[in-house]
Amino acid sequence: MERQRRLVREVCIADGRSPNLIRNMSILVEDGVISWIRPTVEEGELLDTELEIIDASGATAVPSMVDSHSHLTLAGGAHWIDRAADPVEMQLRAAEAAGERMWRAGIGWARDVGSITATDPADGRFRALALGVRDRWRTRAERPYIRAAGTWLAKQGVIDTLAVTVKDADDLYTAASRQIADGADLIKLYLDGPDSDVSPFSVNEIGRVVDLAHAHGVKVTGHSRSLAGAREGVDGGLDSLEHGSYLDADIVATMAARGTYLVSTVSALLSQ
């Protein structure tokens, strides 16, 4: 197979670490992979006569962006939760459409934080749909790389139509274990309950899942719109909180001390 080599010359680079552009740079791309980035005057001798040279003077190269909170298989809109009831094939088409839009927008990485559990017609596996999407996109240059969670883990009676529901601590631990075996990159706990003043999971229950996940190199995050759930999640050792609609100074200080990340979202859902 013929090797493809492309030299992007005289480009400016915005590296995200400085307010200033780095000017007069060259980027060598070989078989779709950046081999080096260096000043144009330091390109050296390039002997390959088949090398494609692109004059990028006047253009700026930027690092690919990251979508830190996405649900690839669910179409957007105010009624996105209802889309979890769509046929599996429709949800996988939604993921393909989302992946194309992401790639065209310059998003090279995406973090999927929840998809329904169903049988994927492409691989026949019964697990969170985004895991199969992630696996298939690994070899597709026109799709972002994915880090995918399993399906939301929620207490019974909260979001039964969307999540994997659990009744007690042992049930929660078993469900998390199953998702790790399925190949999830992270576990997603649903930290809202019927009573906004009471977390559906205790510090000990959350900590048990965190210890299990970390032992397998897996992260744990929590959907958090309530103050009570956020407090238990942070004290339980979560790696991150999603949304964080309600946080107080004490929780924020604890997060900063422990290195717990807040994944803020464009829309913060209002707790009723």
Side-chain angles (χ1 to χ4, degrees):
M1 184 175 179
E2 184 177 352
R3 191 179 188 189
Q4 296 180 335
R5 304 179 76 224
R6 178 176 295 134
L7 179 67
V8 182
R9 176 176 284 167
E10 295 285 354
V11 68
C12 293
I13 295 178
D15 65 2
R17 296 179 293 182
S18 165
N20 303 315
L21 294 176
I22 305 173
R23 301 177 182 275
N24 306 118
M25 299 294 290
S26 290
I27 304 173
L28 179 64
V29 182
E30 299 180 291
D31 295 329
V33 177
I34 294 176
S35 295
W36 51 250
I37 301 175
R38 61 183 64 159
T40 299
V41 296
E42 297 179 11
E43 285 177 356
E45 187 175 5
L46 300 170
L47 301 177
D48 190 344
T49 58
E50 299 300 319
L51 178 69
E52 177 186 1
I53 298 178
I54 297 176
D55 180 358
S57 54
T60 300
V62 299
S64 64
M65 294 183 288
V66 177
D67 186 338
S68 297
H69 185 109
S70 62
H71 299 284
L72 295 170
T73 59
L74 302 180
H79 305 288
W80 66 272
I81 292 179
D82 296 338
R83 302 279 65 79
D86 289 344
V88 167
E89 291 78 9
M90 186 179 295
Q91 294 191 44
L92 293 177
R93 286 198 299 271
E96 288 299 321
E100 181 177 5
R101 289 193 300 269
M102 285 176 168
W103 185 250
R104 290 181 179 275
I107 296 172
W109 286 85
R111 180 171 170 268
D112 187 287
V113 286
S115 57
I116 68 164
T117 294
T119 300
D120 189 330
D123 60 24
R125 297 187 64 177
F126 184 75
R127 58 178 181 165
L129 286 178
L131 299 180
V133 174
R134 174 203 63 190
D135 292 347
R136 290 188 287 276
W137 286 5
R138 282 174 176 155
T139 57
R140 295 181 62 181
E142 80 286 6
R143 290 290 183 269
Y145 294 105
I146 303 298
R147 289 288 183 266
T151 302
W152 301 258
L153 298 181
K155 204 67 172 285
Q156 285 181 348
V158 180
I159 50 170
D160 292 356
T161 60
L162 186 66
V164 170
T165 59
V166 299
K167 62 182 182 296
D168 55 31
D170 289 340
D171 208 12
L172 176 64
Y173 188 88
T174 298
S177 299
R178 186 175 299 116
Q179 292 193 355
I180 292 171
D182 285 340
D185 297 306
L186 62 146
I187 303 298
K188 173 79 170 289
L189 303 182
Y190 199 88
L191 298 181
D192 295 337
D195 183 347
S196 61
D197 294 327
V198 179
S199 173
F201 301 119
S202 70
V203 169
N204 289 338
E205 290 171 337
I206 294 169
R208 191 180 178 204
V209 171
V210 169
D211 289 343
L212 168 69
H214 286 180
H216 290 82
V218 172
K219 303 290 187 181
V220 185
T221 192
H223 166 103
S224 169
R225 292 188 292 137
S226 69
L227 186 60
R231 184 178 292 115
E232 297 293 283
V234 172
D235 288 344
L238 290 183
D239 298 289
S240 57
L241 290 178
E242 313 294 317
H243 308 298
S245 303
Y246 294 96
L247 300 174
D248 61 20
D250 289 339
I251 293 177
V252 170
T254 303
M255 292 174 68
R258 293 185 175 181
T260 309
Y261 289 91
L262 172 63
V263 184
S264 58
T265 44
V266 173
S267 60
L269 305 180
L270 176 65
S271 294
Q272 299 296 326

